[in-house]
Amino acid sequence: MYYKLPTELYCERNCITSHADDICAHGKTAYIITGKHSSKANGSLNDVISVLENGHISYKVFDGICENPSIENIMEAVKEAPKKTDFVIGIGGGSPLDASKAVSLMLANPDKNEDLLYQKCDAAYLPVVTVPTTCGTGSEITPYSILTIHRLCTKASLPHKIYPSLALIDPMYLDSAPDTVLKNTAIDALGHLIESYINTNATNISKMFCNHALSLWKAIPYILKNNIRNYEAYELLMMISAYAGMAISHTGTSLPHKMSYSLTYEQKIPHGKAVGTFLSAYMRHADIYACNHILSLCGFSSVHMLADTINELCGHIEVPYSLAEKAVKDIAGDSIKSRNCPYPVNEEILWDIYKESVAII
Ligand code: NAP
Ligand code: ZN
């Protein structure tokens, strides 16, 4: 058994302002990494800037992080960094948060080029503060950073474990999120819980996070289908996402995530939706007791009911045959990609999962 979760986390209304001192204690110069629009619209960027200005911390904002950020996007941000950055603040969904971790790694190693991102080595990184504004990735607490690698036409997690030092969750930042963002990211969190539970690395501690958060997830379909938008609903969505982040911090994700990456890269399907489409088929191939345990915790009577709910929330996906074939061969031919899956993975099983999960055209 191994347990490590060094991030300090707060989840409350006005979280940024209440923890101004914790943010300012990180150093004299901050580099804010965020997306193009949403952090301005939901007030999170302004809240952070006010805290830094009141605390006489100098800062610079990079607001050019794209969805599913690429290596090139990270290096663009690195180039614009203040000369002597003490810490990095990521604000937004999983994309800017993952980007802030990658930027912190590069800034701590100024003599290295972008090859460092995917080099297996012990490298330092600057402290990272995370402010999530979506409710799925758990990136505010996980040590992972997933980037798009255009050269390989896919996405992959960095080998470095970059733990944020402080995560500040204000659930009200979800108030500006469109329904689709809430739905896709809530399904991503469900994916983290299911893939962490059905995982070769699962431990009693990772399962404890899964058990608790899956039972909370029971309320989510009602909230999303009825468009319940209040603080309590946002807090539940944010905390499920954080618990799921705690779970995958220990186990990593599994097949549905690996299978999702080509859909996101080639068809621009949002991360949570792409993961969600493979979940019920992934469960159906797993140990029947684990499968039934998960279903009963989150209130589904069968994997079909789970699949119907995911489809109702996120919509169906069509995949060209050639793309499915390439993905199946790629995952079956690389044992590292299926190493967290507790059952044997071969082309036949991958085709089964594909055919059950998407419409192949
Ligand atoms: P995202 O790519 O960060 O954001 C999706 C969209 O939502 C963007 O257009 C963004 O706008 C907008 N948005 C964000 N917050 C909003 C808000 N409060 N109100 C309105 N719009 C908002 O989406 P995500 O699903 O959170 O993150 C996906 C990324 O996280 C993927 O790259 C995935 O691989 C990664 N991921 C990481 C982990 C991990 O452990 N590190 C786990 C799972 C997934 P702006 O662009 O204007 O900000
Ligand atoms: Zn995910």
Side-chain angles (χ1 to χ4, degrees):
M1 168 79 79
Y2 175 70
Y3 175 79
K4 180 176 179 183
L5 216 51
T7 306
E8 227 181 321
L9 181 142
Y10 295 92
C11 176
E12 60 204 33
R13 235 186 246 270
N14 303 320
C15 199
I16 304 299
T17 318
S18 308
H19 295 283
D21 291 348
D22 299 290
I23 300 177
C24 295
H26 278 73
K28 284 278 150 236
T29 305
Y31 191 25
I32 300 175
I33 300 293
T34 189
K36 292 194 166 79
H37 308 291
S38 68
S39 63
K40 297 180 189 88
N42 61 36
S44 52
L45 179 60
N46 244 341
D47 290 348
V48 169
I49 287 177
S50 300
V51 160
L52 295 176
E53 287 181 349
N54 290 336
H56 308 290
I57 308 293
S58 69
Y59 66 89
K60 186 170 178 184
V61 179
F62 181 86
D63 60 1
I65 296 298
C66 306
E67 290 181 38
N68 307 294
S70 63
I71 294 175
E72 291 78 5
N73 200 190
I74 299 304
M75 295 314 290
E76 221 183 304
V78 169
K79 229 191 285 166
E80 300 293 322
K83 272 217 171 62
K84 203 205 149 306
T85 300
D86 292 322
F87 65 110
V88 179
I89 306 177
I91 309 175
S95 296
L97 301 194
D98 283 9
S100 67
K101 297 174 197 172
V103 168
S104 87
L105 176 78
M106 292 309 304
L107 293 183
N109 299 277
D111 50 329
K112 297 275 167 61
N113 64 21
E114 67 185 50
D115 293 346
L116 173 67
L117 290 169
Y118 282 94
Q119 243 161 35
K120 285 195 178 129
C121 62
D122 239 346
Y125 54 88
L126 298 184
V128 179
V129 176
T130 50
V131 179
T133 66
T134 61
C135 50
T137 71
S139 181
E140 66 274 13
I141 190 142
T142 72
Y144 308 126
S145 170
I146 292 116
L147 302 182
T148 295
I149 310 176
H150 288 303
R151 180 172 44 86
L152 302 178
C153 298
T154 190
K155 300 172 57 170
S157 188
L158 304 192
H160 306 274
K161 290 203 162 181
I162 303 168
Y163 288 96
S165 59
L166 176 66
L168 297 173
I169 306 175
D170 185 336
M172 283 316 287
Y173 294 146
L174 289 181
D175 204 36
S176 66
D179 290 357
T180 48
V181 169
L182 291 188
K183 288 174 180 170
N184 290 336
T185 58
I187 293 295
D188 186 24
L190 177 65
H192 296 162
L193 294 169
I194 291 173
E195 291 176 51
S196 177
Y197 195 93
I198 302 173
N199 195 302
T200 50
N201 299 322
T203 65
N204 286 341
I205 290 183
S206 65
K207 283 187 176 175
M208 184 183 75
F209 292 123
C210 294
N211 285 335
H212 181 54
L214 282 165
S215 65
L216 295 177
W217 208 89
K218 207 175 196 164
I220 298 303
Y222 180 83
I223 288 174
L224 295 177
K225 286 180 196 175
N226 294 287
N227 201 20
I228 312 280
R229 282 181 167 267
N230 56 35
Y231 181 82
E232 287 68 30
Y234 297 144
E235 186 183 43
L236 189 63
L237 286 160
M238 282 297 207
M239 279 314 300
I240 290 172
S241 172
Y243 289 132
M246 294 170 197
I248 57 168
S249 292
H250 288 91
T251 58
T253 53
S254 186
L255 272 191
H257 268 70
K258 300 297 173 291
M259 297 177 81
S260 77
Y261 291 153
S262 64
L263 300 191
T264 297
Y265 188 85
E266 301 287 352
Q267 297 186 242
K268 310 283 170 262
I269 294 173
H271 173 69
K273 176 175 176 171
V275 166
T277 200
F278 295 114
L279 288 178
S280 56
Y282 176 67
M283 285 173 69
R284 206 174 55 73
H285 284 81
D287 174 274
I288 181 87
Y289 296 105
C291 180
N292 286 341
H293 177 73
I294 291 171
L295 290 172
S296 74
L297 281 178
C298 54
F300 295 108
S301 56
S302 66
V303 280
H304 301 294
M305 191 182 168
L306 171 70
D308 289 347
T309 301
I310 293 173
N311 282 330
E312 190 183 343
L313 292 172
C314 298
H316 288 275
I317 294 178
E318 290 185 342
V319 178
Y321 179 85
S322 56
L323 182 61
E325 189 182 35
K326 186 166 168 278
V328 164
K329 283 200 182 320
D330 177 43
I331 295 171
D334 181 352
S335 57
I336 291 178
K337 292 197 168 132
S338 55
R339 70 184 158 188
N340 293 359
C341 177
Y343 49 84
V345 175
N346 52 37
E347 287 199 21
E348 196 184 338
I349 283 190
L350 288 165
W351 269 122
D352 262 9
I353 295 179
Y354 239 104
K355 285 177 187 158
E356 192 176 319
S357 307
V358 300
I360 298 188
I361 48 172

